[in-house]
Amino acid sequence: TPSAVQKIKELLKDKPEHVGVKVGVRTRGCNGLSYTLEYTKSKGDSDEEVVQDGVRVFIEKKAQLTLLGTEMDYVEDKLSSEFVFNNPNIKGICGCGESFNI
């Protein structure tokens, strides 16, 4: 989303050695999977690259099918600010919202 693009641009502004962010999934939490998001200095050999308004997002190979069709957003409210993944593939989430299953 435009909000996520703007936030990633802000985060990368002071990190010229990084070319974008990498999104993945890890086995963790009470429901199976959780998202990972980290800065990256290069595109991995098997990463899928998505470019949106000049921002480069790399998707790890093992997360590509899990994240197919997912929208990444950045949401701020009075109590928190976070990247949110609107993933149409999710079949269930845990009560705390930390993990999901496909």
Side-chain angles (χ1 to χ4, degrees):
T1 64
S3 178
V5 167
Q6 185 58 38
K7 187 60 179 181
I8 292 170
K9 283 180 179 180
E10 289 174 22
L11 293 170
L12 290 173
K13 183 174 55 176
D14 297 328
K15 295 173 178 50
E17 69 278 9
H18 293 92
V19 297
V21 295
K22 185 177 289 196
V23 179
V25 293
R26 297 285 181 266
T27 302
R28 134 172 102 198
C30 52
N31 214 320
L33 299 169
S34 65
Y35 299 105
T36 62
L37 186 62
E38 60 190 16
Y39 299 108
T40 187
K41 294 180 180 181
S42 63
K43 177 182 184 292
D45 291 338
S46 56
D47 291 345
E48 180 73 26
E49 181 177 0
V50 177
V51 179
Q52 178 77 36
D53 297 325
V55 169
R56 297 171 73 188
V57 176
F58 303 96
I59 303 168
E60 293 178 348
K61 181 178 179 147
K62 72 178 191 173
Q64 290 171 11
L65 289 177
T66 303
L67 296 174
L68 193 62
T70 298
E71 175 190 69
M72 183 176 164
D73 195 7
Y74 184 75
V75 179
E76 290 184 83
D77 62 29
K78 290 181 181 180
L79 299 176
S80 66
S81 59
E82 63 185 338
F83 285 101
V84 175
F85 296 88
N86 300 310
N87 188 337
N89 305 306
I90 290 179
K91 301 289 186 237
I93 59 172
C94 66
C96 64
E98 290 292 318
S99 61
F100 63 93
N101 65 59
I102 301 286

